Amino acid sequence: SLEDARKLSQLAVEMNRNALVHIAVDTGMNRIGLKDTDESADVVVSMFAPVAYEEFARVLKKGGYLIIGAAGEKHLDGLKAILYDEVYLNEPSEHKNELFDNISVENLSYVTEVSGNEIINSLFTMTPYYHRTSLADKEKLSKVDSLTTTVEVDFFILRRV
């Protein structure tokens, strides 16, 4: 969210007073906040969003890093177990582009407990599952007050050539 981005940006500035931080929000159709920033960023982070390689390459300095966070195979498996009759694994992501060298892929995975129906439903609405789940399956969440699920994120580290 934009608020999370602001908090992370403030933290970055507190850690390094020379940091120049840009906030960009993907609105689904348009990127905002990246105007007049050619080759100005050392790092760009894209989490659970389509990757605009050309735009990110434009704003990154040569040798700058693009960090892409994508859903791992078991990401939110507990949520899917409630919603669907058959739990499926997420397709592995691949991020390659001629504007970037692939440096590494790091996996972060842990199991967590989410408490409270409102929080569980908020989590659900932030996922692509929300838009492709039937109303009958969405109703299953109305009775859930506790959720145990895997959080699994693959981080792709790329360097601007």
Side-chain angles (χ1 to χ4, degrees):
S1 76
L2 184 57
E3 186 57 33
D4 291 337
R6 285 187 179 126
K7 289 177 186 174
L8 288 172
S9 298
Q10 182 62 37
L11 179 61
V13 170
E14 288 173 8
M15 293 174 64
N16 180 352
R17 290 284 176 203
N18 296 321
L20 175 61
V21 177
H22 298 284
I23 299 174
V25 177
D26 184 343
T27 62
M29 293 297 288
N30 302 303
R31 290 200 182 272
I32 58 173
L34 294 178
K35 298 175 185 168
D36 302 320
T37 55
D38 291 2
E39 296 188 17
S40 63
D42 294 306
V43 178
V44 170
V45 179
S46 176
M47 293 293 298
F48 302 115
V51 181
Y53 291 105
E54 292 77 17
E55 179 69 356
F56 293 155
R58 181 184 68 79
V59 301
L60 276 168
K61 296 175 184 175
K62 302 277 191 270
Y65 291 92
L66 172 58
I67 302 170
I68 301 166
E73 286 186 331
K74 294 182 180 177
H75 188 60
L76 300 181
D77 58 355
L79 181 65
K80 290 189 282 189
I82 294 168
L83 294 170
Y84 310 124
D85 294 332
E86 290 185 37
V87 177
Y88 61 91
L89 297 178
N90 294 316
E91 293 289 324
S93 295
E94 190 170 294
H95 291 280
K96 293 184 179 185
N97 185 280
E98 67 275 359
L99 299 171
F100 295 90
D101 289 330
N102 287 58
I103 304 301
S104 68
V105 179
E106 306 294 329
N107 177 273
L108 172 68
S109 182
Y110 60 93
V111 175
T112 190
E113 180 80 20
V114 182
S115 298
N117 185 263
E118 186 177 334
I119 294 171
I120 293 167
N121 276 287
S122 292
L123 172 64
F124 176 51
T125 61
M126 292 188 296
T127 71
Y129 313 128
Y130 178 78
H131 301 286
R132 57 181 179 233
T133 300
S134 71
L135 288 175
D137 285 339
K138 287 179 181 180
E139 275 297 309
K140 295 175 185 177
L141 280 183
S142 67
K143 303 173 185 104
V144 177
D145 289 316
S146 180
L147 167 69
T148 301
T149 193
T150 303
V151 173
E152 183 176 9
V153 182
D154 293 326
F155 290 97
F156 296 82
I157 317 301
L158 291 76
R159 184 173 31 231
R160 172 78 166 92
V161 293

